[in-house]
Amino acid sequence: MGKKKKSALQVIMEDGWYHPGIEFDGEVESDTESEEDEVKDKKTNKQRLRETGRASRLQSKGKEKDKEDKEEDDSNEEDSGCQQNGASRRKNYQRKNRDGKKAGVEGSQQRERGKKAPTKDQKESENKEKKTTKEGNEGKNKQKENRKNSTTSASSNSSDEESLSEEELAMLMEQVEQKKKLISTMRNKPWRMVKKLSVLREAQAFVEKFEGALGKGKGKKLYAYKMMMAKKWVKFKRDFENFKTQCIPWEMKIKEVESHFGSSVASYFIFLRWMYGVNLVLFGLIFGLVIIPEVLMGMPYGSMPRKTVPRAEQATAMDFSVLWDFEGYIKYSALFYGYYNNQRTIGWLKYRLPMAYFMVGISVFGYSLMVVIRSMARNANESTADGDDDNFVFSWKMFTSWDYLIGNAETADNKFASITTSFKESIVDEQESNKDENIHLRRFLRVLANVLIICCLCGSGYLIYFVVKRSQTFSKMQNAGWYERNEVEIVMSLLGMFCPPLFETIAALENYHPRIGLKWQLGRIFALFLGNLYTFLLALMDDVNEKLAEEDVVKNITYWTLLGHHNLSVGNDSTATPPPLDPADVPRGPCWETTVGIEFVRLTVSDILVTFITILVGDFIRACFVRFVNYCWCWDLEAGFPSYAEFDISGNVLGLVFNQGMIWMGSFYAPGLVGINVLRLLTSMYFQCWAVMTSNVPHERVFKASKSNNFYMGLLLLILFLSLLPVAYTIMSLPPSFDCGPFSGKKRMYDVIQETIELDFPLFVAKIFSYVANPGLIIPAILLMVLAIYYLNSVSEAYQRANAELKKKMQMQREEEKNKRNNKATTNPMLQDLEDLLTPSTKTETHPNQEEEKKMESPDRTSPVRKPGRGAVPDGSPMTGGRGAAFTPPSHVFVTQPLTPRVWAPYPGQPRPRGHPMGLVPGRGRGQPRYLQPA
Amino acid sequence: MHICCLLNLSSVEKQEDTWDGLFYRYRDLAPQLVPLDYTDKPAVTLPYELIASMPELKDNPFRQRIAEVFSEHGDGNMTLDNFLDMFSVLSEMAPRDLKAYYAFKIYDFNNDDYICKSDLEKTVNKLTRNELTPEEVSLVCEKVIYEADVDNDGKLSLEDFQHMIIRAPDFLSTFHIRI
């Protein structure tokens, strides 16, 4: 306890130079125990309140002044000790200020001054005594004594008068408030730790004591509780943010890729992750509402013809080659449309499966549309929100990109890589912006490139069409080989593999900025794939129409077969029910829906395989080859021809987009397709991340991705719309197969809605529905929507214009300001100097916290002349830092005090509590910016 | 945790934790040098090598500058007092102006109170581990000066620096160390 007390004493008291070593104790340990000490303070202070009173305060004043004298003698102190000294002196100074302030407010300065002169002398003598006996217990006792005096001194002025009048009570409260403010703004002050601590302690003691005296102690508890809660809340929020980032899947993986390959490559992975999320939702929708109810509650496999493999196929239905083509058992499973029964309700839940199937098919599109559009809107918002950060791109990169939180070597490596990458990105942008070349040549080359690419596109479109036509003849042949059956897929995959690199080669002619080049490349490959997709779809439609024609024939056959079977059994045995025909033997229609579904699944699977194999061979094997064969090869493989692959952003993005289009189109006829896609996205996330990190090199010109992913999203929206069309067409205008699927037996698939409305809803709902479906109502509604869109569009355009205008204005203003400054600097150096002089005060006003403080201190500055004897010395001393300056003659006082109001100076370190002279560290100027020194 | 939490009336325990925590962090750097009991010992100064080996600093490309700026004599050797100051400034709740000021000091490699082109080059090279070509480095430096130099004297003064840094969106979040 003794030690504790001492440590607290040390901080609060200003006798640091008695025992310089102890000061550290004061710093560290005292804090842990400061509370106890402060409690003690309170008790003792209360007792002493009335005894000591004003006299003690004045005593301490004198003492402090003495100490300044003593410091001069103590020239061979250690640095730390000196520093402590500085701090303590500073504190004295503060205290004095406070006293002065009080005095000013109370208007009792005259009295004070009158009393001061005699007491000062007394104290001086007292201190001399102390100086001689500054060792051992005696010294400690003295310190204690001193401390008592000093702590009370700060407040005694008002404390002994507190019982006197209401006016002074109010005054006291005001002071307490000020102290509180000081405490709360303490952390914003650019002081050294030691000083902060000492000032804080004092203020705390003051507040505690007088809040008790004023009966406001309870408020403190509440305040403390509030503060604690606020702090806890901040911490909780921070933790929650961290938790949220940790919850984002693959965030670290993507960040790692981004740091090595740049934001453009990372944007692909972000897109992939987003896609995975969307597909997960679709998967949940389809599996939860369609497949699982069917598996759990629907009729089991083999119970009816549509759920049974036909007799002819049963022998080979389990062969792998058959399953691989999604025939056999897979074709007659819940993964495809044909498996579902047209029973209105299934199971004990009376689950309306056909209805659910239809609604899920629609909501897959509805949800996707909504999500894509919402995300586009959000991206657009984000990209416009931070529009004004073009001014300091490089500066911010330079000064704020290193994250000082990084405490891990691997993270640091990544960060170095990412900073380098981002610098490179910005450099590319910068170089691009001030590039001037032969415009005519550039134009010619660009036109040429576009012509070439259009030729390629037409050629590939025709090739696809040709192959599809051919495949229709192949499908009629009985013994078509593997190649004949898969010709379409193979050709499409080959085109997808070889055309994009070709386009890229051609695009090199154009010499766009890589970001714009990427967009062109994306657009071209999109066109290529789109042509492929649509020729494929047209061929598919031909196929479907053929199947529909075939169906009519089969329908009759089935009917007659069943009838014949029935007649046969009736004829044989009239009483017993006829043994049902085995479902495997019933003749089937072609079930075009399942055929379409299978087509899409096949396409998806082959796409997955091609993608993965391309990555494996084109990237990984190539990288291995280049890496290891390089030792024994005749030229440099790494720098020369094969080299390492770059990550192909455009190809991958479009692969993803088109794959998603396939999923959207196919998921109505093959509900299991989404499941396959989810698996694909999951594996491709890991696989591609791995492949990128192991076998790819960053782009030659690493470029920044555009702020929003909206180009990708736009492509996705387009493909969504395109894939919506064929599905909507088949639903609205083709009759469903008569013997398979949930809508069999109906004229059109959407009849299921009408059926539900008629049978399950009250009559008026059906009436309302019929009104709503009336074209007379729908056409005006569409018109209204179009008008609304037009209006909103024009409004947004107006806003955009206004925005651009404002931006321009701001830019102009900034330039004007800059010019003005420059002119001033050149033409009027005098004014510039003056400005420099004034900066400290103007800066302060901009900072709110310091403004508060300034307010606090201001009464002191307004009445400095009144107490010349004591105010001046401590004011000058901590500022100049040197001892010689610290001991200013009193005659100087009247001039220096008002000119140096710098306790509240704006820059940290300026009022630095440093006791040792500046001469010890010449040229450092640390903590004291030169131009802030008083003139 | 911020060391300036100490300076608040509330949450006594937390204050003690941080305070003690920092002291023990300091002490753990060199248990044989720093006594547990600070009562009688005079100043203890830890060499730069020990300070730089802290996990918070050891991967920081500017660790030497940080230590130099906060140390007493600019040599990177720190007393406990300096150590506390360092964490106070780099803590989450230190005010922006304070942080900006010390950031300026850190990036001012030659201590001439201006960030000039050589300072900027040093900064870039430290940030990128010398992976940019000299042309790129000089382009970057020129751009920085072009952007941030308000008074057109070819170097960044503290004022220029503050003008630029207070607009940076993530300066506060990156210029801090969590303890």
Side-chain angles (χ1 to χ4, degrees):
Chain A
M1 198 53 216
K3 196 188 83 188
K4 285 178 182 177
K5 209 177 280 175
K6 191 172 53 184
S7 64
L9 291 180
Q10 225 85 37
V11 173
I12 291 170
M13 262 311 295
E14 37 283 312
D15 315 19
W17 33 277
Y18 284 153
H19 304 279
I22 300 178
E23 292 308 312
F24 282 96
D25 191 36
E27 270 176 65
V28 182
E29 314 228 331
S30 67
D31 185 70
T32 56
E33 292 118 11
S34 59
E35 309 302 320
E36 293 173 40
D37 281 318
E38 260 147 28
V39 173
K40 209 161 277 169
D41 273 352
K42 219 162 141 187
K43 280 180 201 157
T44 49
N45 280 340
K46 283 238 166 98
Q47 293 166 1
R48 273 179 280 112
L49 268 179
R50 288 184 171 56
E51 304 158 16
T52 45
R54 185 173 296 148
S56 65
R57 176 176 60 87
L58 295 174
Q59 272 179 13
S60 73
K61 287 281 137 60
K63 235 182 288 166
E64 282 157 15
K65 190 161 166 56
D66 263 10
K67 262 161 232 156
E68 303 293 340
D69 298 11
K70 270 185 259 169
E71 258 173 77
E72 272 217 312
D73 307 336
D74 268 331
S75 52
N76 47 0
E77 282 286 332
E78 278 187 58
D79 273 356
S80 57
C82 289
Q83 206 178 334
Q84 302 297 328
N85 256 344
S88 56
R89 259 188 288 142
R90 162 90 26 112
K91 202 180 56 186
N92 287 349
Y93 161 62
Q94 288 250 321
R95 185 170 303 144
K96 254 169 244 173
N97 278 348
R98 221 170 291 125
D99 282 330
K101 181 172 48 191
K102 260 176 243 157
V105 175
E106 286 167 25
S108 62
Q109 307 90 0
Q110 285 88 352
R111 270 187 293 161
E112 276 179 343
R113 229 188 289 169
K115 279 180 189 175
K116 203 183 306 159
T119 46
K120 203 191 269 176
D121 291 341
Q122 283 175 19
K123 279 294 125 186
E124 254 168 47
S125 57
E126 213 182 288
N127 276 338
K128 290 253 164 67
E129 278 176 39
K130 234 178 265 164
K131 206 171 170 187
T132 52
T133 62
K134 58 176 163 184
E135 281 140 3
N137 278 336
E138 246 179 352
K140 269 181 207 163
N141 286 340
K142 282 261 160 76
Q143 286 168 28
K144 214 185 272 179
E145 228 174 88
N146 271 347
R147 169 177 156 261
K148 281 179 195 164
N149 290 342
S150 64
T151 42
T152 44
S153 71
S155 48
S156 56
N157 189 8
S158 35
S159 68
D160 60 348
E161 284 160 350
E162 93 189 77
S163 53
L164 294 182
S165 71
E166 284 288 310
E167 203 180 310
E168 271 146 8
L169 205 67
M171 207 82 70
L172 195 61
M173 274 168 75
E174 198 178 302
Q175 283 164 24
V176 168
E177 282 309 306
Q178 280 175 353
K179 285 277 189 210
K180 273 185 178 170
K181 214 184 267 174
L182 176 69
I183 288 169
S184 59
T185 58
M186 178 82 67
R187 65 169 54 131
N188 298 332
K189 286 180 191 164
W191 298 337
R192 289 255 148 187
M193 196 48 61
V194 188
K195 190 197 162 197
K196 271 186 188 172
L197 272 179
S198 55
V199 173
L200 171 83
R201 282 243 166 73
E202 201 183 321
Q204 275 184 350
F206 182 87
V207 168
E208 279 194 31
K209 189 166 60 181
F210 286 105
E211 280 207 326
L214 294 170
K216 276 180 69 187
K218 270 173 209 154
K220 192 202 125 193
K221 230 173 202 173
L222 188 70
Y223 174 73
Y225 180 74
K226 259 198 215 153
M227 286 303 291
M228 197 181 71
M229 288 319 283
K231 225 174 267 174
K232 283 236 167 89
W233 174 240
V234 167
K235 188 170 183 304
F236 171 77
K237 271 204 293 199
R238 200 176 66 200
D239 288 348
F240 189 69
E241 284 296 315
N242 285 347
F243 176 72
K244 260 193 344 205
T245 29
Q246 272 170 359
C247 282
I248 300 174
W250 307 305
E251 184 71 3
M252 289 320 292
K253 257 186 195 316
I254 292 176
K255 281 269 175 294
E256 202 182 339
V257 169
E258 180 172 7
S259 59
H260 286 95
F261 291 87
S263 50
S264 45
V265 174
S267 72
Y268 163 72
F269 284 97
I270 291 169
F271 187 56
L272 176 61
R273 182 176 64 187
W274 186 84
M275 223 48 170
Y276 178 72
V278 171
N279 274 283
L280 221 51
V281 173
L282 297 185
F283 175 76
L285 215 59
I286 290 177
F287 267 66
L289 294 178
V290 173
I291 294 187
I292 290 176
E294 169 67 27
V295 168
L296 290 181
M297 298 185 290
M299 308 258 282
Y301 172 82
S303 57
M304 52 195 301
R306 68 185 65 177
K307 297 191 179 191
T308 318
V309 180
R311 182 78 65 199
E313 294 173 25
Q314 261 177 8
T316 58
M318 212 44 201
D319 291 0
F320 181 72
S321 64
V322 173
L323 290 182
W324 186 243
D325 280 342
F326 299 96
E327 299 280 343
Y329 282 109
I330 291 187
K331 186 177 174 184
Y332 299 96
S333 72
L335 297 182
F336 290 105
Y337 173 91
Y339 182 79
Y340 294 83
N341 196 0
N342 60 348
Q343 241 179 331
R344 259 198 80 231
T345 59
I346 56 167
W348 51 274
L349 276 176
K350 302 274 176 220
Y351 190 73
R352 287 171 175 73
L353 191 76
M355 176 73 183
Y357 195 101
F358 190 77
M359 293 315 282
V360 164
I362 290 177
S363 56
V364 161
F365 282 101
Y367 172 77
S368 308
L369 269 173
M370 198 189 73
V371 133
V372 171
I373 288 176
R374 234 193 67 187
S375 139
M376 277 180 87
R378 205 177 40 220
N379 284 347
N381 265 344
E382 269 171 17
S383 60
T384 50
D386 45 26
D388 195 24
D389 59 352
D390 304 335
N391 294 317
F392 297 114
V393 183
F394 282 94
S395 311
W396 289 348
K397 277 217 168 73
M398 174 96 76
F399 295 119
T400 68
S401 58
W402 183 263
D403 192 344
Y404 282 62
L405 278 174
I406 289 172
N408 170 317
E410 204 179 324
T411 324
D413 285 345
N414 282 340
K415 191 72 188 173
F416 281 121
S418 95
I419 291 174
T420 313
T421 316
S422 78
F423 267 124
K424 279 186 182 158
E425 286 177 355
S426 296
I427 289 170
V428 165
D429 280 1
E430 187 55 36
Q431 284 170 344
E432 204 64 30
S433 69
N434 42 24
K435 186 173 71 176
D436 49 349
E437 279 169 287
N438 187 346
I439 297 173
H440 296 293
L441 179 67
R442 181 82 30 240
R443 268 187 202 147
F444 169 72
L445 285 178
R446 281 180 186 172
V447 169
L448 181 70
N450 278 317
V451 168
L452 284 178
I453 282 167
I454 286 171
C455 290
C456 285
L457 285 176
C458 294
S460 68
Y462 178 73
L463 184 63
I464 293 278
Y465 184 72
F466 176 72
V467 167
V468 169
K469 274 274 168 243
R470 225 158 75 104
S471 75
Q472 281 165 356
T473 57
F474 282 139
S475 64
K476 284 184 191 102
M477 279 157 53
Q478 284 304 309
N479 48 0
W482 180 82
Y483 172 75
E484 273 88 8
R485 272 182 290 124
N486 293 293
E487 197 183 39
V488 182
E489 286 90 340
I490 290 170
V491 169
M492 279 177 75
S493 298
L494 284 178
L495 276 177
M497 241 161 76
F498 289 111
C499 276
L502 184 67
F503 288 172
E504 208 162 331
T505 322
I506 295 172
L509 288 176
E510 297 175 310
N511 201 2
Y512 279 122
H513 179 282
R515 194 178 331 145
I516 300 162
L518 175 70
K519 281 188 180 169
W520 277 97
Q521 175 79 354
L522 277 170
R524 283 162 188 164
I525 305 176
F526 188 84
L528 171 79
F529 283 8
L530 209 61
N532 297 356
L533 186 74
Y534 253 70
T535 35
F536 165 75
L537 277 182
L538 285 179
L540 209 62
M541 286 316 288
D542 286 350
D543 209 19
V544 166
N545 286 331
E546 257 173 54
K547 288 255 158 76
L548 280 172
E550 189 187 336
E551 203 178 58
D552 285 335
V553 182
V554 177
K555 208 171 172 179
N556 283 334
I557 296 173
T558 316
Y559 177 74
W560 287 115
T561 318
L562 284 179
L563 197 68
H565 178 72
H566 188 71
N567 286 340
L568 200 68
S569 50
V570 167
N572 282 350
D573 189 355
S574 54
T575 50
T577 52
L581 185 65
D582 189 87
D585 294 329
V586 177
R588 312 279 173 82
C591 196
W592 60 269
E593 292 96 336
T594 302
T595 317
V596 171
I598 287 176
E599 205 63 34
F600 278 112
V601 172
R602 267 194 213 149
L603 209 61
T604 307
V605 170
S606 70
D607 185 42
I608 295 172
L609 290 179
V610 169
T611 311
F612 283 14
I613 288 172
T614 316
I615 290 172
L616 209 60
V617 175
D619 290 349
F620 184 65
I621 305 283
R622 176 170 158 191
C624 286
F625 176 79
V626 169
R627 176 81 181 76
F628 295 111
V629 181
N630 199 23
Y631 297 119
C632 47
W633 201 260
C634 29
W635 70 81
D636 188 2
L637 287 173
E638 285 183 344
F641 161 58
S643 87
Y644 297 106
E646 287 178 357
F647 185 77
D648 175 20
I649 303 169
S650 54
N652 277 300
V653 165
L654 283 173
L656 204 58
V657 166
F658 273 88
N659 172 60
Q660 193 58 39
M662 293 289 172
I663 304 304
W664 275 323
M665 273 192 274
S667 66
F668 190 75
Y669 297 118
L673 190 57
V674 181
I676 295 174
N677 195 41
V678 165
L679 280 181
R680 175 230 166 104
L681 293 178
L682 190 67
T683 45
S684 97
M685 188 80 199
Y686 287 103
F687 186 61
Q688 289 198 300
C689 269
W690 166 81
V692 160
M693 293 306 283
T694 50
S695 46
N696 283 7
V697 288
H699 289 250
E700 202 177 337
R701 302 175 75 192
V702 184
F703 60 96
K704 206 186 296 172
S706 52
K707 266 177 216 153
S708 58
N709 271 351
N710 268 0
F711 196 75
Y712 300 165
M713 287 294 173
L715 293 180
L716 197 67
L717 190 65
L718 191 57
I719 205 85
L720 176 59
F721 185 67
L722 291 179
S723 59
L724 181 62
L725 287 182
V727 175
Y729 170 74
T730 51
I731 287 177
M732 297 310 278
S733 54
L734 290 188
S737 300
F738 74 98
D739 65 341
C740 68
F743 312 115
S744 56
K746 295 188 177 61
K747 273 214 174 69
R748 292 283 181 268
M749 289 179 189
Y750 58 81
D751 282 348
V752 73
I753 302 239
Q754 280 169 9
E755 185 192 72
T756 310
I757 287 173
E758 274 163 24
L759 295 180
D760 295 337
F761 284 96
L763 196 66
F764 73 93
V765 177
K767 234 176 204 170
I768 291 174
F769 188 78
S770 67
Y771 286 143
V772 169
N774 188 357
L777 216 65
I778 288 179
I779 290 172
I782 290 176
L783 260 177
L784 198 68
M785 273 205 278
V786 168
L787 287 179
I789 288 171
Y790 174 76
Y791 171 72
L792 290 178
N793 197 34
S794 56
V795 165
S796 84
E797 255 170 29
Y799 280 142
Q800 252 166 12
R801 251 202 309 277
N803 227 344
E805 200 75 8
L806 281 177
K807 233 178 222 172
K808 216 197 285 173
K809 253 182 209 164
M810 266 169 70
Q811 186 74 28
M812 269 173 43
Q813 219 164 20
R814 208 174 296 130
E815 261 162 28
E816 213 168 87
E817 205 174 300
K818 209 168 171 176
N819 282 340
K820 221 186 269 171
R821 275 185 89 107
N822 292 343
N823 289 340
K824 230 189 262 171
T826 50
T827 58
N828 201 347
M830 269 292 276
L831 216 70
Q832 184 73 25
D833 286 353
L834 271 176
E835 234 182 1
D836 282 351
L837 252 181
L838 289 173
T839 34
S841 51
T842 47
K843 273 275 157 51
T844 321
E845 271 154 15
T846 60
H847 201 279
N849 287 323
Q850 263 135 15
E851 204 171 48
E852 276 175 25
E853 205 190 332
K854 189 173 134 198
K855 240 183 273 157
M856 272 177 62
E857 314 257 11
S858 57
D860 176 45
R861 280 184 290 121
T862 53
S863 62
V865 201
R866 286 185 200 139
K867 350 150 218 173
R870 24 172 250 198
V873 174
D875 188 18
S877 57
M879 294 305 145
T880 45
R883 274 182 202 164
F887 191 50
T888 21
S891 62
H892 214 189
V893 160
F894 293 94
V895 189
T896 51
Q897 169 111 5
L899 278 180
T900 52
R902 270 166 291 121
V903 194
W904 39 273
Y907 294 118
Q910 191 194 6
R912 232 187 112 224
R914 261 164 64 151
H916 60 77
M918 288 297 289
L920 282 179
V921 275
R924 283 279 292 133
R926 165 174 166 256
Q928 302 195 353
R930 252 165 237 167
Y931 59 91
L932 285 179
Q933 295 280 347
Chain B
M1 276 301 297
H2 185 287
I3 194 161
C4 289
C5 298
L6 313 167
L7 305 178
N8 214 308
L9 270 172
S10 61
S11 69
V12 176
E13 306 81 31
K14 223 183 210 175
Q15 291 175 16
E16 288 178 5
D17 285 350
T18 327
W19 200 229
D20 276 357
L22 267 181
F23 171 63
Y24 286 122
R25 286 300 306 276
Y26 183 70
R27 191 176 171 274
D28 285 346
L29 292 176
Q32 72 282 7
L33 283 180
V34 184
L36 252 185
D37 182 11
Y38 250 89
T39 327
D40 302 318
K41 281 280 175 183
V44 173
T45 306
L46 290 190
Y48 163 70
E49 288 71 31
L50 282 175
I51 298 288
S53 70
M54 293 183 65
E56 281 87 357
L57 288 180
K58 76 173 173 1
D59 295 306
N60 196 321
F62 303 111
R63 56 185 176 278
Q64 186 162 6
R65 279 304 297 166
I66 295 173
E68 282 172 13
V69 163
F70 285 101
S71 63
E72 197 80 31
H73 304 290
D75 50 5
N77 304 335
M78 287 190 148
T79 63
L80 179 57
D81 183 24
N82 304 142
F83 187 77
L84 295 177
D85 274 333
M86 177 172 79
F87 279 106
S88 160
V89 169
L90 290 174
S91 66
E92 201 173 3
M93 292 179 218
R96 191 171 55 188
D97 287 356
L98 188 67
K99 278 175 181 280
Y101 173 75
Y102 276 100
F104 180 78
K105 290 248 131 206
I106 287 170
Y107 294 123
D108 179 16
F109 282 81
N110 51 11
N111 296 320
D112 63 352
D113 288 335
Y114 286 103
I115 295 182
C116 54
K117 216 178 160 198
S118 66
D119 294 328
L120 290 175
E121 274 165 13
K122 268 184 197 162
T123 312
V124 173
N125 283 330
K126 275 186 186 296
L127 273 177
T128 59
R129 286 187 174 160
N130 301 319
E131 287 203 9
L132 294 184
T133 60
E135 293 83 51
E136 285 172 327
V137 170
S138 91
L139 175 75
V140 169
C141 296
E142 274 163 23
K143 283 301 292 180
V144 170
I145 289 179
Y146 170 76
E147 285 168 358
D149 184 20
V150 182
D151 45 14
N152 275 354
D153 54 358
K155 51 194 178 181
L156 304 187
S157 64
L158 177 59
E159 227 176 298
D160 296 335
F161 186 78
Q162 282 189 325
H163 178 259
M164 177 270 296
I165 209 85
I166 56 173
R167 283 165 178 76
D170 41 8
F171 171 64
L172 281 187
S173 60
T174 55
F175 196 72
H176 91 260
I177 292 180
R178 214 171 276 157
I179 308 160

